[in-house]
């Protein structure tokens, strides 16, 4: 690769010493593969904020990090217009790294070795994006649950919606609206997929509605002539009322009690 066009690299690791070591290794192989570290981040949220303004060629990312881990970060990168190549770094030699290897995404075991980093960078440009469903499954195993954030494209920008702030999901045609106390976000997600991924946090009220259990404030029966719902769910923090079907009425009320 010509020296006048070095690889632009983002380092993502919650340990400053790990990022410092990668910088040193990149300097060691600069004659063989010129690169430039254009930024650093301590977790996936910080990395995505950086990438909104600074395109890069390669992301070197740790797997286990607080806030948003590396697996979830890569899932969001797939929604970018020009996603960078990804090389995982990890101290855990287990099923996850084996799965990544099978899916043509490279990984480096810590402590990272100079020659191994060089080989990974040389093949990074040709790596295929990881399979989203596989990432989701591995991510749940690593962190013990679903994603911490959801992606939303708005006016050409990638926004992150913290799952912990979502009061409910409501399906409308092929899109799903995520409602927080502050506003609504339009997601390109399937309601059934969200229900399965976040079954510990959300319950179904209606064929088109999932609600966060901790957002429920109460219920009221619908009028006899109301064709839209058997009853209505009242929420904390907003005035919205959500329809509850006859089939879900008992389970929804039980969730409030528990």
């Amino acid at each position: 690769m010509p020296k006048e066009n070095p690889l632009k690299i983002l380092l993502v690791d919650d340990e400053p010493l790990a990022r410092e070591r990668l910088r040193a290794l990149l300097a060691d192989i600069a004659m063989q593969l010129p690169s430039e570290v254009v930024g650093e981040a301590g977790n996936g949220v910080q990395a995505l904020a950086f990438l909104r303004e600074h395109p890069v060629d390669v992301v070197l990312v740790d797997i286990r990090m607080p806030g948003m881990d590396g697996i979830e970060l890569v899932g969001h990168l797939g929604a970018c217009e020009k996603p960078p190549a990804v090389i995982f770094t990890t101290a855990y030699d287990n099923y996850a790294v084996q799965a990544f290897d099978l899916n043509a995404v490279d990984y480096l075991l810590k402590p990272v070795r100079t020659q191994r980093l060089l080989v990974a960078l040389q093949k990074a440009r040709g790596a295929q994006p990881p399979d989203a469903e596989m990432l989701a499954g591995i991510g749940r195993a690593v962190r013990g649950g679903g994603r911490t954030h959801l992606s939303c494209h708005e006016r050409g920008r990638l926004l992150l919606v913290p799952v912990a702030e979502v009061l409910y999901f409501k399906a409308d045609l092929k899109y799903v609206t995520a409602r927080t106390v502050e506003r609504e976000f339009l997601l390109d997600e399937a309601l059934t997929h969200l229900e399965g991924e976040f079954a510990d946090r959300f319950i179904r009220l209606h064929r088109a509605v999932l609600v966060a259990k901790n957002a429920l404030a109460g219920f009221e029966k619908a009028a006899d002539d109301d064709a839209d719902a058997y009853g209505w769910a009242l929420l904390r923090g907003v005035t919205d009322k959500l329809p509850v079907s006859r089939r879900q009425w008992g389970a929804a009320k039980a969730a409030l009690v528990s």
Side-chain angles (χ1 to χ4, degrees):
M1 188 173 184
K3 291 184 178 180
E4 64 270 21
N5 186 29
L7 278 177
K8 293 183 178 180
I9 297 176
L10 173 64
L11 305 180
V12 187
D13 198 305
D14 61 316
E15 297 180 3
L17 287 178
R19 302 197 301 268
E20 184 179 330
R21 175 175 171 79
L22 287 174
R23 278 184 175 273
L25 295 178
L26 290 168
D28 289 343
I29 61 175
M31 294 298 294
Q32 298 157 281
L33 195 152
S35 64
E36 176 188 2
V37 176
V38 295
E40 298 185 12
N43 60 37
V45 174
Q46 295 174 10
L48 288 170
F50 180 88
L51 291 169
R52 289 192 195 105
E53 309 295 336
H54 307 88
V56 304
D57 299 310
V58 179
V59 176
L60 285 168
V61 55
D62 190 15
I63 290 181
R64 292 180 182 259
M65 296 180 292
M68 179 191 290
D69 60 44
I71 299 170
E72 184 172 350
L73 166 61
V74 175
H76 291 296
L77 289 181
C80 296
E81 184 177 350
K82 292 183 178 179
V86 174
I87 298 172
F88 286 101
T89 63
T90 178
Y92 302 92
D93 184 10
N94 55 21
Y95 65 91
V97 292
Q98 294 167 6
F100 294 138
D101 193 37
L102 291 172
N103 208 47
V105 177
D106 208 348
Y107 68 91
L108 305 172
L109 288 175
K110 296 178 179 179
V112 176
R113 305 300 180 185
T114 307
Q115 209 52 35
R116 186 70 181 88
L117 176 60
L118 175 60
V119 171
L121 287 171
Q122 287 172 334
K123 71 177 186 178
R125 288 183 179 276
Q128 297 299 312
D131 179 80
E133 287 299 317
M134 186 189 72
L135 277 176
I138 296 172
R140 284 193 292 272
V142 168
R143 75 182 71 92
R147 291 167 287 174
T148 62
H149 294 73
L150 301 169
S151 300
C152 170
H153 285 91
E154 191 173 279
R155 300 184 182 90
R157 292 172 63 85
L158 177 66
L159 304 180
L160 291 178
V161 185
V163 174
E165 296 181 9
V166 176
L167 303 176
Y168 65 82
F169 296 111
K170 194 170 187 179
D172 184 14
L173 298 177
K174 67 174 183 176
Y175 292 101
V176 169
T177 298
R179 179 71 156 95
T180 67
V181 171
E182 290 79 19
R183 54 165 292 187
E184 294 183 344
F185 296 89
L186 199 62
L187 309 177
D188 186 11
E189 299 264 4
L191 199 66
T192 52
H193 178 79
L194 293 169
E195 183 179 23
E197 184 174 0
F198 303 110
D200 60 331
R201 183 182 293 270
F202 294 85
I203 62 168
R204 185 174 287 274
L205 295 182
H206 184 273
R207 58 182 172 78
V209 179
L210 301 177
V211 67
K213 297 174 185 177
N214 61 7
L216 288 170
F219 295 91
E220 61 182 36
K221 289 292 293 291
D224 292 339
D225 59 349
D226 194 334
D228 295 327
Y230 179 75
W232 297 92
L234 311 179
L235 306 178
R236 306 180 193 278
V238 294
T239 58
D240 307 30
K241 293 182 180 182
L242 299 176
V244 185
S245 68
R246 180 186 295 271
R247 181 178 180 181
Q248 302 297 334
W249 181 254
K253 293 188 72 175
L256 178 62
V257 173
S258 61

